[in-house]
Amino acid sequence: MAKVIWIGTSSGDGSWSTTSNWSGGAVPTTSDDVYFTAEYVGSVKAGLDQSAIGLNSVTFDPGYTGNVGSTTAGYLQVTCSSFTYAGSGSYAYFDLGSGTIAPVINNTGSNRRGAYGVYLKGTGLTNVEVNGGLVQIGYPGDTCSASTLNITAGTVLINESGSITTVNNYGGSVTSYTDVTTLNQYRGSYTMERAAALTTAHVESGNINLDSSGTITTLNLNGGMLTSLAGNDRTITTLNWKAGSSLSYFPANTTITNFSSPTEPILIQSTQL
């Protein structure tokens, strides 16, 4: 096991496979700890398939401003036990393969309108932790699945090719184009678009924005606000609510099948009578 640092420069070839791009003059090998630091910010744009090497960890420190992969070159494919990203390059594409791993994204960069700083792919992800930045889970056509998304800050898009079982939102902004089984929201916002559905939601605070044609099977609105937007027809099968919660909706396109009877004041806003 060795600590290996990327020393690639902006004028270099940007290849992971080039020995001169690494401290010690050798490319990382099995069980190494790989670091990308603020001192050497050359982008990684070639030699991207490193999936056959079982690394111990891959870490992108704050201050690393290089890009990683691209839509044309593809993803950086790595197999590792630990993955942490806090860089601020315009974009970074990562394929973490099928191994069991819990990636941590602390920050990203993106200076492109409507783009994300990190694009994540992999089929063995357990917990994805996002503490800042702009993250897309499952670029169109590229599968990414994880059991849990924990978000404290930042913005996450779960694309239609992404799959998350449970979302725990502690203060970030999440938009989902696909079905999620459980949402636990304590702060922040969660937006459902396209045909996204949600089996069970527990909302303590923040906003739930319903802009999809999917169904929320059980919504426990203990605080915060649900806004059901105009457009697609949609259904909330069971709504349980408590004092401090709010509901804003279009009755013409929003069906609420079962209401619980709140015992304390709540706020209901209907845009149509």
Side-chain angles (χ1 to χ4, degrees), residues 146-160:
S147 56
T148 304
L149 167 64
N150 295 313
I151 177 171
T152 63
T155 299
V156 172
L157 170 63
I158 308 171
N159 218 309
E160 288 170 316

Side-chain angles (χ1 to χ4, degrees), residues 106-188:
N106 289 321
N107 187 44
T108 74
S110 178
N111 59 10
R112 301 173 300 154
R113 187 182 181 125
Y116 289 79
V118 165
Y119 295 85
L120 201 57
K121 178 181 178 181
T123 57
L125 311 185
T126 54
N127 300 326
V128 177
E129 180 180 330
V130 177
N131 300 312
L134 304 167
V135 180
Q136 186 170 142
I137 296 175
Y139 192 78
D142 294 327
T143 301
C144 184
S145 58
S147 56
T148 304
L149 167 64
N150 295 313
I151 177 171
T152 63
T155 299
V156 172
L157 170 63
I158 308 171
N159 218 309
E160 288 170 316
S161 56
S163 174
I164 301 289
T165 303
T166 301
V167 174
N168 297 314
N169 190 354
Y170 300 98
S173 174
V174 179
T175 298
S176 182
Y177 292 169
T178 191
D179 299 352
V180 169
T181 302
T182 304
L183 168 67
N184 299 306
Q185 177 153 302
Y186 306 98
R187 291 177 61 194

